[in-house]
Amino acid sequence: MKTIKVSVVTPDGPVYESDVEMVSTKAQSGELGILPGHIPMVAPLQIGAVRLKNSGKTDFVAVSGGFLEVRPDQVTILAQSAESSSEIDIDRAVRAKQRAEERLHSQKREDVDFRRAELALQRAINRISVAERKI
Ligand code: ATP
């Protein structure tokens, strides 16, 4: 099978680098699957999972949005934060989820930045599902 090189990069450095047969993730416009030979493109991503298939195995990386760039020989995902499934601290994500839910359900509405809490909730839910591979 043909493969394409994929890098997931954050401000702290590369999180994932490998040659894969297929990359799939959620762009803002919907589900996106990239195979070797895909036309060059740039797409903004949702908070979501990146699935990387190679030799019958699938690796999972949680990304908090960002951009995907396809070039002829390389796919690059640039994200503010990203973690491979094995690097995710589930307890931390569960705590972040609880904090975000408390903020979203707070009675003191004027003290809460709802958009920020909603995004924190999405990041936490995404990390939990990537760590548990329930995607
Ligand atoms: P928290 O409130 O737990 O910090 P967050 O969603 O606000 O969560 P981010 O700002 O997205 O965190 O990420 C900050 C840094 O912490 C990034 O390097 C990210 O990869 C890492 N990180 C965040 N949550 C986890 C987690 N559950 N397991 C491993 N690394 C994490």
Side-chain angles (χ1 to χ4, degrees), residues 10 12 15 62 64 80-84 87-97 99 103 119-121 123-124 127-128:
T10 74
D12 298 328
V15 167
S64 58
Q80 191 59 38
S81 67
E83 306 85 34
S84 289
E87 289 164 2
I88 293 173
D89 177 343
I90 297 190
D91 291 344
R92 176 175 168 179
V94 168
R95 288 195 302 274
K97 178 172 177 279
R99 273 197 312 277
R103 288 187 179 121
L119 291 172
L121 180 62
R123 289 195 300 276
R127 286 178 175 125
I128 293 165

mmCIF file of all heavy atoms in Angstrom, residues 10 12 15 62 64 80-84 87-97 99 103 119-121 123-124 127-128, ligand 1:
data_model
loop_
_atom_site.group_PDB
_atom_site.id
_atom_site.type_symbol
_atom_site.label_atom_id
_atom_site.label_comp_id
_atom_site.label_asym_id
_atom_site.label_seq_id
_atom_site.Cartn_x
_atom_site.Cartn_y
_atom_site.Cartn_z
ATOM 1 N N THR A 10 2.702 20.888 17.491
ATOM 2 C CA THR A 10 2.136 21.895 18.393
ATOM 3 C C THR A 10 3.230 22.912 18.724
ATOM 4 O O THR A 10 4.393 22.698 18.375
ATOM 5 C CB THR A 10 1.643 21.250 19.712
ATOM 6 O OG1 THR A 10 2.801 20.914 20.496
ATOM 7 C CG2 THR A 10 0.805 20.013 19.472
ATOM 8 N N ASP A 12 4.711 23.188 21.347
ATOM 9 C CA ASP A 12 5.711 22.498 22.178
ATOM 10 C C ASP A 12 6.549 21.503 21.376
ATOM 11 O O ASP A 12 7.438 20.867 21.930
ATOM 12 C CB ASP A 12 5.027 21.742 23.323
ATOM 13 C CG ASP A 12 4.277 22.686 24.244
ATOM 14 O OD1 ASP A 12 4.728 23.841 24.397
ATOM 15 O OD2 ASP A 12 3.230 22.275 24.783
ATOM 16 N N VAL A 15 4.206 15.957 17.977
ATOM 17 C CA VAL A 15 3.510 15.014 18.850
ATOM 18 C C VAL A 15 3.455 13.640 18.180
ATOM 19 O O VAL A 15 3.455 12.615 18.839
ATOM 20 C CB VAL A 15 2.081 15.538 19.136
ATOM 21 C CG1 VAL A 15 1.196 14.492 19.772
ATOM 22 C CG2 VAL A 15 2.158 16.790 20.002
ATOM 23 N N ALA A 62 -5.545 13.108 19.781
ATOM 24 C CA ALA A 62 -6.568 14.121 20.076
ATOM 25 C C ALA A 62 -6.003 15.486 19.702
ATOM 26 O O ALA A 62 -4.882 15.820 20.105
ATOM 27 C CB ALA A 62 -6.907 14.100 21.575
ATOM 28 N N SER A 64 -6.862 19.801 19.441
ATOM 29 C CA SER A 64 -7.798 20.854 19.877
ATOM 30 C C SER A 64 -7.956 21.876 18.759
ATOM 31 O O SER A 64 -7.576 23.034 18.892
ATOM 32 C CB SER A 64 -7.286 21.512 21.145
ATOM 33 O OG SER A 64 -6.010 22.058 20.915
ATOM 34 N N GLN A 80 -2.944 23.867 18.512
ATOM 35 C CA GLN A 80 -2.485 24.519 19.741
ATOM 36 C C GLN A 80 -2.108 23.464 20.787
ATOM 37 O O GLN A 80 -1.139 23.605 21.511
ATOM 38 C CB GLN A 80 -3.585 25.454 20.274
ATOM 39 C CG GLN A 80 -3.125 26.380 21.384
ATOM 40 C CD GLN A 80 -1.975 27.290 20.971
ATOM 41 O OE1 GLN A 80 -1.926 27.774 19.837
ATOM 42 N NE2 GLN A 80 -1.023 27.495 21.882
ATOM 43 N N SER A 81 -2.882 22.371 20.831
ATOM 44 C CA SER A 81 -2.473 21.233 21.656
ATOM 45 C C SER A 81 -2.926 19.939 20.987
ATOM 46 O O SER A 81 -3.918 19.922 20.260
ATOM 47 C CB SER A 81 -3.021 21.342 23.086
ATOM 48 O OG SER A 81 -4.414 21.225 23.093
ATOM 49 N N ALA A 82 -2.160 18.881 21.219
ATOM 50 C CA ALA A 82 -2.462 17.566 20.640
ATOM 51 C C ALA A 82 -1.772 16.514 21.487
ATOM 52 O O ALA A 82 -0.680 16.758 22.024
ATOM 53 C CB ALA A 82 -1.965 17.489 19.195
ATOM 54 N N GLU A 83 -2.431 15.374 21.653
ATOM 55 C CA GLU A 83 -1.837 14.283 22.432
ATOM 56 C C GLU A 83 -2.140 12.946 21.767
ATOM 57 O O GLU A 83 -3.276 12.695 21.373
ATOM 58 C CB GLU A 83 -2.421 14.214 23.866
ATOM 59 C CG GLU A 83 -2.354 15.497 24.674
ATOM 60 C CD GLU A 83 -3.541 16.423 24.379
ATOM 61 O OE1 GLU A 83 -4.643 15.903 24.127
ATOM 62 O OE2 GLU A 83 -3.362 17.654 24.396
ATOM 63 N N SER A 84 -1.132 12.085 21.672
ATOM 64 C CA SER A 84 -1.379 10.697 21.267
ATOM 65 C C SER A 84 -2.210 10.032 22.352
ATOM 66 O O SER A 84 -2.109 10.405 23.528
ATOM 67 C CB SER A 84 -0.061 9.940 21.134
ATOM 68 O OG SER A 84 0.624 10.390 20.008
ATOM 69 N N GLU A 87 -0.664 9.154 25.644
ATOM 70 C CA GLU A 87 -0.120 10.246 26.474
ATOM 71 C C GLU A 87 -1.195 10.968 27.258
ATOM 72 O O GLU A 87 -0.897 11.878 28.040
ATOM 73 C CB GLU A 87 0.567 11.288 25.582
ATOM 74 C CG GLU A 87 1.853 10.804 24.977
ATOM 75 C CD GLU A 87 2.287 11.697 23.816
ATOM 76 O OE1 GLU A 87 1.597 12.696 23.520
ATOM 77 O OE2 GLU A 87 3.299 11.368 23.210
ATOM 78 N N ILE A 88 -2.443 10.606 27.029
ATOM 79 C CA ILE A 88 -3.540 11.352 27.665
ATOM 80 C C ILE A 88 -3.714 10.916 29.112
ATOM 81 O O ILE A 88 -3.790 9.716 29.409
ATOM 82 C CB ILE A 88 -4.843 11.185 26.858
ATOM 83 C CG1 ILE A 88 -4.679 11.866 25.498
ATOM 84 C CG2 ILE A 88 -6.036 11.773 27.618
ATOM 85 C CD1 ILE A 88 -5.821 11.645 24.532
ATOM 86 N N ASP A 89 -3.759 11.906 29.991
ATOM 87 C CA ASP A 89 -4.033 11.680 31.409
ATOM 88 C C ASP A 89 -5.559 11.755 31.567
ATOM 89 O O ASP A 89 -6.137 12.838 31.539
ATOM 90 C CB ASP A 89 -3.303 12.775 32.203
ATOM 91 C CG ASP A 89 -3.572 12.703 33.688
ATOM 92 O OD1 ASP A 89 -4.547 12.048 34.093
ATOM 93 O OD2 ASP A 89 -2.803 13.334 34.437
ATOM 94 N N ILE A 90 -6.188 10.583 31.694
ATOM 95 C CA ILE A 90 -7.660 10.554 31.720
ATOM 96 C C ILE A 90 -8.200 11.279 32.947
ATOM 97 O O ILE A 90 -9.169 12.036 32.845
ATOM 98 C CB ILE A 90 -8.198 9.106 31.677
ATOM 99 C CG1 ILE A 90 -7.799 8.443 30.360
ATOM 100 C CG2 ILE A 90 -9.718 9.076 31.822
ATOM 101 C CD1 ILE A 90 -8.464 7.119 30.079
ATOM 102 N N ASP A 91 -7.544 11.101 34.105
ATOM 103 C CA ASP A 91 -8.049 11.767 35.325
ATOM 104 C C ASP A 91 -8.039 13.279 35.142
ATOM 105 O O ASP A 91 -8.973 13.966 35.555
ATOM 106 C CB ASP A 91 -7.186 11.383 36.538
ATOM 107 C CG ASP A 91 -7.370 9.927 36.909
ATOM 108 O OD1 ASP A 91 -8.369 9.328 36.442
ATOM 109 O OD2 ASP A 91 -6.518 9.382 37.632
ATOM 110 N N ARG A 92 -6.976 13.783 34.532
ATOM 111 C CA ARG A 92 -6.902 15.231 34.287
ATOM 112 C C ARG A 92 -8.049 15.672 33.373
ATOM 113 O O ARG A 92 -8.685 16.703 33.611
ATOM 114 C CB ARG A 92 -5.549 15.581 33.663
ATOM 115 C CG ARG A 92 -5.430 17.028 33.296
ATOM 116 C CD ARG A 92 -4.039 17.360 32.797
ATOM 117 N NE ARG A 92 -4.025 18.679 32.201
ATOM 118 C CZ ARG A 92 -2.944 19.257 31.698
ATOM 119 N NH1 ARG A 92 -1.788 18.643 31.756
ATOM 120 N NH2 ARG A 92 -3.024 20.466 31.169
ATOM 121 N N ALA A 93 -8.309 14.896 32.333
ATOM 122 C CA ALA A 93 -9.385 15.254 31.400
ATOM 123 C C ALA A 93 -10.751 15.182 32.096
ATOM 124 O O ALA A 93 -11.612 16.028 31.852
ATOM 125 C CB ALA A 93 -9.341 14.335 30.184
ATOM 126 N N VAL A 94 -10.924 14.186 32.972
ATOM 127 C CA VAL A 94 -12.208 14.080 33.703
ATOM 128 C C VAL A 94 -12.375 15.300 34.620
ATOM 129 O O VAL A 94 -13.464 15.881 34.703
ATOM 130 C CB VAL A 94 -12.262 12.747 34.492
ATOM 131 C CG1 VAL A 94 -13.421 12.734 35.483
ATOM 132 C CG2 VAL A 94 -12.388 11.571 33.527
ATOM 133 N N ARG A 95 -11.285 15.705 35.267
ATOM 134 C CA ARG A 95 -11.374 16.897 36.141
ATOM 135 C C ARG A 95 -11.693 18.143 35.301
ATOM 136 O O ARG A 95 -12.500 18.988 35.694
ATOM 137 C CB ARG A 95 -10.065 17.104 36.921
ATOM 138 C CG ARG A 95 -9.842 16.076 38.019
ATOM 139 C CD ARG A 95 -8.764 16.520 38.995
ATOM 140 N NE ARG A 95 -7.474 16.779 38.355
ATOM 141 C CZ ARG A 95 -6.549 15.840 38.110
ATOM 142 N NH1 ARG A 95 -6.760 14.589 38.473
ATOM 143 N NH2 ARG A 95 -5.404 16.151 37.535
ATOM 144 N N ALA A 96 -11.033 18.268 34.131
ATOM 145 C CA ALA A 96 -11.292 19.430 33.268
ATOM 146 C C ALA A 96 -12.750 19.428 32.802
ATOM 147 O O ALA A 96 -13.397 20.479 32.735
ATOM 148 C CB ALA A 96 -10.345 19.396 32.065
ATOM 149 N N LYS A 97 -13.280 18.239 32.520
ATOM 150 C CA LYS A 97 -14.685 18.121 32.090
ATOM 151 C C LYS A 97 -15.614 18.583 33.218
ATOM 152 O O LYS A 97 -16.553 19.349 32.985
ATOM 153 C CB LYS A 97 -14.970 16.660 31.708
ATOM 154 C CG LYS A 97 -16.392 16.378 31.278
ATOM 155 C CD LYS A 97 -16.481 14.952 30.731
ATOM 156 C CE LYS A 97 -17.901 14.587 30.343
ATOM 157 N NZ LYS A 97 -18.738 14.183 31.449
ATOM 158 N N ARG A 99 -14.926 20.623 35.717
ATOM 159 C CA ARG A 99 -14.803 22.087 35.900
ATOM 160 C C ARG A 99 -15.629 22.821 34.850
ATOM 161 O O ARG A 99 -16.353 23.762 35.159
ATOM 162 C CB ARG A 99 -13.340 22.523 35.767
ATOM 163 C CG ARG A 99 -12.531 22.448 37.033
ATOM 164 C CD ARG A 99 -11.242 23.279 36.914
ATOM 165 N NE ARG A 99 -10.483 23.043 35.697
ATOM 166 C CZ ARG A 99 -9.627 22.032 35.529
ATOM 167 N NH1 ARG A 99 -9.438 21.145 36.480
ATOM 168 N NH2 ARG A 99 -8.958 21.901 34.392
ATOM 169 N N ARG A 103 -18.949 25.251 35.375
ATOM 170 C CA ARG A 103 -19.021 26.633 34.877
ATOM 171 C C ARG A 103 -20.263 26.824 33.999
ATOM 172 O O ARG A 103 -20.948 27.833 34.107
ATOM 173 C CB ARG A 103 -17.767 26.985 34.086
ATOM 174 C CG ARG A 103 -16.581 27.151 35.005
ATOM 175 C CD ARG A 103 -15.334 27.670 34.306
ATOM 176 N NE ARG A 103 -14.288 27.812 35.290
ATOM 177 C CZ ARG A 103 -13.114 27.190 35.236
ATOM 178 N NH1 ARG A 103 -12.804 26.425 34.222
ATOM 179 N NH2 ARG A 103 -12.226 27.359 36.192
ATOM 180 N N LEU A 119 -15.633 25.245 24.988
ATOM 181 C CA LEU A 119 -14.462 24.692 24.282
ATOM 182 C C LEU A 119 -13.643 23.786 25.209
ATOM 183 O O LEU A 119 -13.153 22.737 24.784
ATOM 184 C CB LEU A 119 -13.590 25.830 23.732
ATOM 185 C CG LEU A 119 -14.228 26.614 22.567
ATOM 186 C CD1 LEU A 119 -13.385 27.840 22.229
ATOM 187 C CD2 LEU A 119 -14.398 25.739 21.331
ATOM 188 N N ALA A 120 -13.508 24.197 26.491
ATOM 189 C CA ALA A 120 -12.780 23.351 27.458
ATOM 190 C C ALA A 120 -13.499 22.020 27.616
ATOM 191 O O ALA A 120 -12.862 20.955 27.696
ATOM 192 C CB ALA A 120 -12.668 24.078 28.803
ATOM 193 N N LEU A 121 -14.834 22.069 27.630
ATOM 194 C CA LEU A 121 -15.623 20.829 27.740
ATOM 195 C C LEU A 121 -15.380 19.939 26.515
ATOM 196 O O LEU A 121 -15.145 18.736 26.653
ATOM 197 C CB LEU A 121 -17.110 21.175 27.873
ATOM 198 C CG LEU A 121 -18.060 19.985 27.987
ATOM 199 C CD1 LEU A 121 -17.758 19.157 29.238
ATOM 200 C CD2 LEU A 121 -19.513 20.466 28.019
ATOM 201 N N ARG A 123 -12.760 19.880 24.551
ATOM 202 C CA ARG A 123 -11.390 19.327 24.594
ATOM 203 C C ARG A 123 -11.344 18.132 25.548
ATOM 204 O O ARG A 123 -10.733 17.100 25.253
ATOM 205 C CB ARG A 123 -10.371 20.378 25.037
ATOM 206 C CG ARG A 123 -10.106 21.460 24.022
ATOM 207 C CD ARG A 123 -8.838 22.238 24.356
ATOM 208 N NE ARG A 123 -8.877 22.908 25.650
ATOM 209 C CZ ARG A 123 -9.421 24.111 25.877
ATOM 210 N NH1 ARG A 123 -9.967 24.793 24.892
ATOM 211 N NH2 ARG A 123 -9.398 24.650 27.086
ATOM 212 N N ALA A 124 -11.986 18.300 26.707
ATOM 213 C CA ALA A 124 -11.945 17.229 27.720
ATOM 214 C C ALA A 124 -12.672 15.983 27.215
ATOM 215 O O ALA A 124 -12.159 14.861 27.319
ATOM 216 C CB ALA A 124 -12.565 17.730 29.020
ATOM 217 N N ARG A 127 -10.550 14.261 24.632
ATOM 218 C CA ARG A 127 -9.403 13.531 25.203
ATOM 219 C C ARG A 127 -9.874 12.217 25.828
ATOM 220 O O ARG A 127 -9.208 11.183 25.675
ATOM 221 C CB ARG A 127 -8.695 14.394 26.246
ATOM 222 C CG ARG A 127 -7.885 15.493 25.591
ATOM 223 C CD ARG A 127 -7.200 16.397 26.607
ATOM 224 N NE ARG A 127 -6.357 17.356 25.917
ATOM 225 C CZ ARG A 127 -6.451 18.685 26.073
ATOM 226 N NH1 ARG A 127 -7.314 19.207 26.927
ATOM 227 N NH2 ARG A 127 -5.658 19.476 25.393
ATOM 228 N N ILE A 128 -10.999 12.263 26.516
ATOM 229 C CA ILE A 128 -11.496 11.039 27.164
ATOM 230 C C ILE A 128 -11.838 10.006 26.086
ATOM 231 O O ILE A 128 -11.453 8.838 26.189
ATOM 232 C CB ILE A 128 -12.720 11.362 28.053
ATOM 233 C CG1 ILE A 128 -12.287 12.238 29.239
ATOM 234 C CG2 ILE A 128 -13.381 10.075 28.558
ATOM 235 C CD1 ILE A 128 -13.436 12.910 29.987
HETATM 236 P P1 ATP B 1 -6.546 21.500 31.542
HETATM 237 O O1 ATP B 1 -7.634 22.373 32.141
HETATM 238 O O2 ATP B 1 -6.506 20.122 32.143
HETATM 239 O O3 ATP B 1 -5.184 22.174 31.455
HETATM 240 P P2 ATP B 1 -7.006 22.284 28.809
HETATM 241 O O4 ATP B 1 -7.974 21.753 27.793
HETATM 242 O O5 ATP B 1 -7.250 23.679 29.266
HETATM 243 O O6 ATP B 1 -7.008 21.244 30.032
HETATM 244 P P3 ATP B 1 -4.896 22.826 26.962
HETATM 245 O O7 ATP B 1 -4.778 24.302 27.176
HETATM 246 O O8 ATP B 1 -5.639 22.353 25.752
HETATM 247 O O9 ATP B 1 -5.529 22.147 28.278
HETATM 248 O O10 ATP B 1 -3.458 22.150 26.950
HETATM 249 C C1 ATP B 1 -2.375 22.603 27.755
HETATM 250 C C2 ATP B 1 -1.277 21.550 27.698
HETATM 251 O O11 ATP B 1 -1.641 20.425 28.512
HETATM 252 C C3 ATP B 1 -1.036 20.994 26.309
HETATM 253 O O12 ATP B 1 0.343 20.698 26.185
HETATM 254 C C4 ATP B 1 -1.838 19.686 26.296
HETATM 255 O O13 ATP B 1 -1.304 18.744 25.388
HETATM 256 C C5 ATP B 1 -1.721 19.230 27.735
HETATM 257 N N1 ATP B 1 -2.871 18.497 28.226
HETATM 258 C C6 ATP B 1 -4.089 19.019 28.542
HETATM 259 N N2 ATP B 1 -4.917 18.067 29.023
HETATM 260 C C7 ATP B 1 -4.203 16.904 28.993
HETATM 261 C C8 ATP B 1 -4.502 15.551 29.359
HETATM 262 N N3 ATP B 1 -5.687 15.188 29.845
HETATM 263 N N4 ATP B 1 -3.528 14.619 29.226
HETATM 264 C C9 ATP B 1 -2.315 14.965 28.732
HETATM 265 N N5 ATP B 1 -1.972 16.220 28.377
HETATM 266 C C10 ATP B 1 -2.896 17.189 28.499
#
